[in-house]
């Protein structure tokens, strides 16, 4: 999900978590995955067939609930002339809210962040989430090349999949035992052949990586000996690819085994990239905070919300562990207010300051989504920060999970 923002990833994870917690009775929950090239008319025909077959279900309540879910699916897919670009996912079913008879129909329909490859129609007591959970797994794209004097292998790593795009051999001769001028002449020939081989590697890497340079998070070079370093230090790669080289690692092997060894040895570097990004953001925030009255930093929900609303926020920093809701209350006299309620906190009886009547809840929204929406409306960048680093924990515990780097100072 390299093209998905931290906010979108947070919302996707939140949706999956909510779906995973839902339980139905028997096999009454329906999960449907529709690839973008699937004809919705074919899906509709299958649903009509399923509706007919469901009449054979012995349990009256189960039969009613399954038929209701199928009818909801048929209604929803009629709203689409064809599946969206990445396909369509539907989760439909009666979810018990308490004892028997408390079931309520719930429907979740959305376009997934990645293209659906396989058509699924599954009835169970839980929703089928595995294809979506796989989308959360790292799908970042890296270039990996293993280089030595005799051969080179160029690959693309996407998630856990390795695609070998080129295997090259040098044809450079081994050592020669001749002496004198013959030896020097032979050495020059070998050096020229080695240079041409590195140029050829560079051309193949440019051809493989330049078309995907915008999604390429980095390039890793591996191999036994010094050839990989000569390649990196020389002028063989296009500058946009060379700038993406993250590290070079020593390997025992070349070829596909060398590619896998390179990935294993560079795993710490790959895992650190997101962490480094978050660290840099927090370091930038703290640096501004230390400037005291001159710094472009703000923290705490109230102060940051005020800064957001006047368009002063450049980057909004929200802790992934921020579990609060923004609740809207109103009164029949026309009074309206908003308050923030922490997870598990009981909402006290709020009275209208105008008429002293009890306020009623109009809406509830996840606090992260609430603040992020304000930020996006005013073109502020939103970053949802994990608590897996000291800096992330500092944001959550030290600054209440809400902070901002400002465009200009707010008094």
């Amino acid at each position: 999900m390299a093209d998905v923002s931290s906010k979108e990833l947070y919302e996707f994870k939140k949706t999956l978590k909510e779906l995973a917690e839902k339980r139905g009775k028997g096999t009454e929950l329906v999960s449907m995955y529709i690839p973008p090239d699937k004809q919705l008319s074919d899906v509709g025909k299958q649903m009509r067939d399923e509706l007919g077959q469901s009449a054979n279900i012995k349990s009256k309540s189960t039969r009613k609930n399954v038929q209701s879910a199928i009818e909801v699916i048929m209604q929803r897919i009629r709203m689409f002339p064809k599946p969206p670009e990445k396909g369509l996912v539907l989760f439909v079913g009666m979810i018990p809210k308490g004892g028997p008879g408390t079931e309520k129909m719930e429907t979740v329909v959305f376009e997934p962040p990645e293209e659906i490859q396989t058509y699924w129609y599954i009835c169970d007591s839980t929703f089928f989430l595995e294809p979506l959970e796989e989308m959360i797994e790292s799908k970042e794209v890296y270039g990996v090349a293993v280089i030595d004097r005799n051969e080179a292998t160029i690959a693309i790593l996407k998630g856990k999949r390795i695609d070998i795009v080129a295997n090259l051999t040098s044809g450079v001769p081994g050592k020669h035992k001749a002496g004198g001028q013959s030896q020097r002449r032979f050495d020059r020939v070998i050096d020229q052949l080695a240079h041409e081989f590195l140029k050829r590697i560079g051309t193949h890497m440019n051809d493989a990586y330049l078309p995907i340079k915008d999604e390429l998070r980095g390039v890793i070079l591996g191999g036994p000996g010094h050839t990989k370093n000569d390649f990196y230090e020389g002028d063989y790669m296009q500058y946009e690819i060379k700038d993406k080289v993250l590290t070079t690692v020593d390997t025992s092997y070349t070829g596909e085994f060398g590619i896998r060894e390179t990935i294993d040895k560079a795993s710490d570097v790959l895992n650190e990239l997101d962490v480094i990004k978050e660290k840099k953001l927090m370091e930038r925030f703290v640096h501004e905070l230390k400037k005291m009255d001159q710094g472009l930093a703000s923290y705490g929900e109230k102060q940051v919300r005020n800064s957001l609303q006047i368009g002063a926020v450049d980057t909004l920093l929200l802790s992934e562990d921020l579990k609060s809701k923004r609740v809207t209350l109103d009164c029949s006299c026309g009074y309206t207010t908003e308050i923030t309620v922490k997870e598990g906190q009981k909402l006290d009886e709020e009275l209208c300051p105008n008429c002293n009547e009890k306020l009623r809840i109009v809406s509830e929204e996840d606090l992260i989504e609430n603040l992020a929406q304000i930020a996006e409306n005013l073109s502020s960048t939103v970053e949802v920060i994990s608590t897996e680093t000291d800096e992330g924990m500092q944001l959550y515990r030290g600054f209440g999970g809400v902070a901002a780097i400002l465009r200009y100072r707010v008094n």
Side-chain angles (χ1 to χ4, degrees), residues 30-34 73 76-77 88-92 108-109:
V30 180
S31 306
M32 178 171 278
Y33 292 75
I34 305 175
I73 290 174
R76 289 304 183 100
I77 63 176
L88 192 65
V89 183
L90 302 94
F91 298 104
V92 183
V108 178
V109 181

Side-chain angles (χ1 to χ4, degrees), residues 116-134:
I116 297 170
Q117 303 295 326
T118 305
Y119 175 68
W120 294 95
Y121 169 73
I122 293 176
C123 298
D124 206 339
S125 59
T126 58
F127 289 122
F128 177 58
L129 302 175
E130 282 82 349
L132 295 179
E133 289 169 344
E134 289 177 3

